[in-house]
Amino acid sequence: MLWLSLSLLFLFVSTSTASIESAPSSEIRGSRTNYIKESSPIDCAKVPPTFWCVNEKLTKECGFDKLCDGYSKATKNQKLQLTIFYESLCPDCQEFMTNDFYRNVYLKFGDFIKFELVPYGNAKNDDGKIKCQHGEKECAINKYHSCVLHYMPEPIPFIVCMEARIQDGSTMDKAAEKCYYTFHVQPHVADQIIHCANGDIGDKFQQDAAKRTAEAFPDQHTHVPWILFNNVSIESQQFLISDLPVAICEFYNGDRQPGNCKGLGSSSRTLNGCTKGYFLDEEDDFEA
Ligand SMILES: *[C@@H]1O[C@H](CO)[C@@H](O)[C@H](O)[C@H]1NC(C)=O
């Protein structure tokens, strides 16, 4: 929310100190200095980076074109990649996955996101022998999740289901059994997963998860759950995890914004504002 308020504050400041719309045509005015125009109606050096590429007029006015063209081409109408590093027995991961992540992200923005779950977290890999933060049980569940992620076409509801059961005290096998039943998982898929989870294939997938976690760039994770957007791992941006819908609506670059971006924040407070263009007709006034 702080982040949102800051963005709104910037929006307010930049629109109130200068009107982009009423500025004279940019061709008439002076030359560029290091991309940024001297005589812009706004102070281009103070434009928050999150605004650089979202408005064509602004992009041109401030000379952000080069970067923004590349970004726009690469991301236009592409799903946003959201990677989550987690471990199965970390209470905060369980809470995040079964609640906020599932309800507010997976169900509401799933069509716009390419999910990548990496069940490894703070485990350590000593020469191929994995040690998990919450012990052997956690290693077994992480491995199970790796297999689910590999063999199930739509694995997230199943993983969330397992986490919810385990959070409630179920054993791994009981949790899985219940979730196979809940989602009517085909027996041959369940067999593949169980075979994987009991053997070397699952170990290999866990090695992949270890590698994936270790390769995060530029920042290594310091805790879990940990998020990456479009494969970029930034420690100072982890606070976005507590307001993922806002981050998703900010980062997703499509012709059409996800429907659920409208009315964001309505759980706490809603600002409907006043729509421009409707004026009370004097004749209509005070009739009734
Ligand atoms: C993500 O980044 C890692 C390096 O951090 C790289 O090895 C991997 O190929 C990238 N994956 C995708 C899907 O871009």
Side-chain angles (χ1 to χ4, degrees):
M1 271 305 128
L2 173 67
W3 184 65
L4 180 63
S5 338
L6 278 179
S7 307
L8 289 175
L9 179 68
F10 275 126
L11 183 64
F12 178 70
V13 169
S14 48
T15 48
S16 61
T17 52
S19 162
I20 302 169
E21 313 232 347
S22 62
S25 142
S26 51
E27 285 99 42
I28 313 170
R29 267 170 300 102
S31 63
R32 287 166 188 232
T33 316
N34 292 334
Y35 293 117
I36 295 184
K37 288 186 180 171
E38 286 162 356
S39 56
S40 168
I42 54 170
D43 188 343
C44 287
K46 291 188 178 168
V47 176
T50 174
F51 292 171
W52 287 5
C53 306
V54 294
N55 176 291
E56 245 177 77
K57 258 187 222 170
L58 178 70
T59 303
K60 284 218 173 62
E61 183 59 42
C62 291
F64 302 135
D65 316 43
K66 258 193 187 170
L67 279 174
C68 292
D69 282 354
Y71 177 75
S72 173
K73 282 196 188 101
T75 60
K76 197 74 181 172
N77 293 322
Q78 299 286 310
K79 289 186 176 184
L80 183 69
Q81 193 184 327
L82 176 63
T83 302
I84 298 167
F85 292 169
Y86 74 102
E87 57 194 26
S88 55
L89 290 185
C90 149
D92 279 352
C93 295
Q94 293 176 334
E95 178 55 30
F96 168 68
M97 309 241 311
T98 58
N99 244 308
D100 202 29
F101 169 69
Y102 188 65
R103 284 178 222 280
N104 299 327
V105 178
Y106 183 79
L107 292 180
K108 293 193 179 157
F109 296 96
D111 291 346
F112 301 91
I113 297 174
K114 184 168 175 250
F115 295 100
E116 182 189 21
L117 266 52
V118 187
Y120 182 78
N122 299 324
K124 288 210 158 62
N125 196 358
D126 292 331
D127 277 334
K129 172 86 186 106
I130 292 173
K131 265 206 168 132
C132 295
Q133 186 170 31
H134 301 88
E136 302 267 319
K137 265 189 198 166
E138 181 169 71
C139 278
I141 305 169
N142 287 349
K143 184 176 167 186
Y144 207 103
H145 284 191
S146 279
C147 297
V148 171
L149 289 163
H150 190 84
Y151 290 109
M152 221 176 255
E154 212 41 72
I156 289 177
F158 188 93
I159 300 257
V160 169
C161 172
M162 266 189 89
E163 286 291 272
R165 296 275 147 209
I166 287 165
Q167 203 178 21
D168 288 346
S170 282
T171 63
M172 178 181 82
D173 290 331
K174 279 262 166 358
E177 200 180 309
K178 177 86 188 171
C179 299
Y180 285 129
Y181 180 78
T182 303
F183 294 104
H184 309 290
V185 176
Q186 296 185 337
H188 77 272
V189 175
D191 286 347
Q192 269 177 322
I193 292 168
I194 292 164
H195 176 72
C196 166
N198 286 326
D200 297 346
I201 309 170
D203 289 331
K204 192 213 162 264
F205 292 156
Q206 273 293 287
Q207 291 296 329
D208 294 345
K211 189 158 172 281
R212 176 71 181 105
T213 305
E215 279 174 357
F217 182 85
D219 293 336
Q220 288 280 298
H221 81 281
T222 59
H223 59 271
V224 283
W226 182 271
I227 49 171
L228 287 73
F229 288 102
N230 284 349
N231 209 12
V232 183
S233 173
I234 303 282
E235 180 167 13
S236 68
Q237 300 300 301
Q238 292 303 312
F239 72 95
L240 293 175
I241 202 167
S242 53
D243 212 343
L244 280 174
V246 169
I248 291 162
C249 293
E250 177 70 43
F251 296 154
Y252 177 73
N253 178 27
D255 291 322
R256 140 184 108 88
Q257 212 196 18
N260 283 318
C261 292
K262 290 199 188 72
L264 271 186
S266 56
S267 56
S268 45
R269 74 201 153 91
T270 313
L271 275 182
N272 285 320
C274 301
T275 308
K276 186 174 158 184
Y278 293 100
F279 287 85
L280 201 59
D281 241 332
E282 290 204 11
E283 288 142 42
D284 297 344
D285 229 358
F286 311 119
E287 283 286 307

